[in-house]
Amino acid sequence: MSLLPLLAMIGSGIDMGRGYLAQSRLQQACDAAALAGRRAMTGGVLDDAVKTEADKFFKFNFPTGTADVDGTAAFQAKGFKPIIGSSANSTVTVSATTTLPTTVMKIFGFKTLPLSVDCFAKQDFVNTDIVLVLDVTGSMLCATTETSCTNSSTGVEKASSKIVGLRSAVLALYDELAKTQTELEAAGMRLRYGIVPYSSSVNVGDAIVSQNANYIVSDNWDYQSREVTISGAGEFTDTDCTSNKYGSYSATTRKCTYFTYKTRNFPTGNFVASLKDASKAVEISSLIGTSDSDGDTPVAAATKYSRWAGCIEERASTNSLTSTTTSIPAAAKDLSIDLIPTDKASRWKPYWSDIEYMPARWVRSGHEPNQPQFACPTPAKRLQAWTKAALSTYLNTLAATGGTYHDNGMIWGGRFISPDGIFGPENPSTYNSMPVARHIIFMTDGLLDTGYETLYTTYGIEKYDARITAGGTASNETQQAQRHQQRFNLMCSAVKAKKVSIWVVAFASALDTNLQTCATSVAQASTSANTADLTAKFVEIGKNIGSLRLVKP
């Protein structure tokens, strides 16, 4: 008599274990069927092709006879029942029932265990915004196999240049996401790209002016420059004038005509307007004079005009932000990506290389003495839908020049993609009632590389304008680089706080700790040794961004 309860207890354990196993297998098959059916669904339409695909996956994962289930009852689908809230929320549901014959418990009259599952899957479509922040510094003219090259100084591009590989990689990313873009558009959503080419400057003038012309300083601004100076009679000897002042001496008047180099204030209204209207180009020969063939002696010469290309000087910053500062100071308006300009300090200034000269004498080939190095990349593009042809045409305009200021790129990548700030109205958190996923792909071919004394940047010439460091002999390029690095780190954190996923790719260069930390995760920071690797990496990123997001609600 005591064996019967014991047998019932053991038998129920055996049969229930078999039941749990069969139920688990049935659930897996049901999930696979629902996911396969949703993947096969086009435009939210449930047709025979969808049913066939789902049936195939169910039977593959749960063939008749699995776990000794009743072969005659086997998989009774109660119908593939789509629930369509909208074309973006189409859901495939699958229900399946069968029975599992018992082994021991049939002695006690329980011949079968019922098994039943219900599952459903939807495609989790989301709008997608991607800003490509691309290093276009002079070293991008080099090949991946070169540690240094003459191309970066001559400006000559060749087939093996990294800038060429970058174009190919971006187009490969576009191709990878083309199907996703089509699916999103069919569902009333969108996939957009923004592009920020950066170096020691960034060309965002058109983007700013198009948003609001008042965001650019259009009255006057200070620049390191020069002016024609005429000495008093007898103030200099002929030798002093020509040898020390590089001027021209008049024996008749005993006066010396030479250039004085200093900070000057210039009107910027017409110069800013010339971005859109070529007739507004500023005649600058009367402002800064013209020089002889050697570039250092004032002479009467043909009129020279200057037109704004669109690069900017950043708005007010602070030189109190050091390499150990852990939060963005309120005075660093340049690092506040969402600050709307309301005064001169919070507005951007036009980058005006044609009138920029340094106080200290410096000569470089092909340029006038005292004229600093300068660079103005291709105009950045705000978030928009692209065709491949339009994207290819734009990429072909990218030119590699200038120093490596990662903070320039991340500041403007953040501004372009932020749901707040001056571009906020174009970047809602939802579009057509669906959420927006935001990504920045940050590509660089080198570590941060600044210029302290002879490079005109978004922050002027740092030795003289002292917007990041104390300037003069109180600072140097090492300190300047450390501070720009920390500014980059702070910007990466600020952008990630906006729920933007950051991908970092180092192209033919080291991936230092700062770049690794900038990425949203360790998996989103990588290196690419050559063009093939870079292309593969961009395709991989595309797969991650545009993967078919199928979820079980």
Side-chain angles (χ1 to χ4, degrees), residues 116-177:
S116 178
V117 292
D118 294 287
C119 50
F120 45 102
K122 69 177 182 178
Q123 184 157 24
D124 186 20
F125 274 124
V126 293
N127 298 284
T128 304
D129 284 345
I130 303 169
V131 173
L132 301 167
V133 180
L134 307 177
D135 179 340
V136 292
T137 53
S139 58
M140 286 292 289
L141 289 171
C142 301
T144 56
T145 55
E146 297 174 305
T147 55
S148 63
C149 63
T150 58
N151 295 67
S152 59
S153 59
T154 62
V156 177
E157 184 179 303
K158 53 187 178 182
S160 58
S161 293
K162 285 177 280 187
I163 190 75
V164 176
L166 173 61
R167 295 186 187 114
S168 298
V170 172
L171 289 176
L173 172 73
Y174 183 91
D175 287 340
E176 178 60 34
L177 288 170

Side-chain angles (χ1 to χ4, degrees), residues 291-305:
S291 60
D292 62 4
S293 59
D294 291 332
D296 50 17
T297 303
V299 296
T303 302
K304 182 179 180 181
Y305 286 88

Side-chain angles (χ1 to χ4, degrees), residues 323-334:
S323 61
T324 59
T325 301
T326 57
S327 61
I328 298 174
K333 299 181 187 298
D334 59 317

Side-chain angles (χ1 to χ4, degrees), residues 276-305:
K276 301 284 190 179
D277 184 356
S279 68
K280 298 290 186 179
V282 178
E283 190 276 301
I284 61 171
S285 49
S286 60
L287 296 177
I288 63 171
T290 54
S291 60
D292 62 4
S293 59
D294 291 332
D296 50 17
T297 303
V299 296
T303 302
K304 182 179 180 181
Y305 286 88

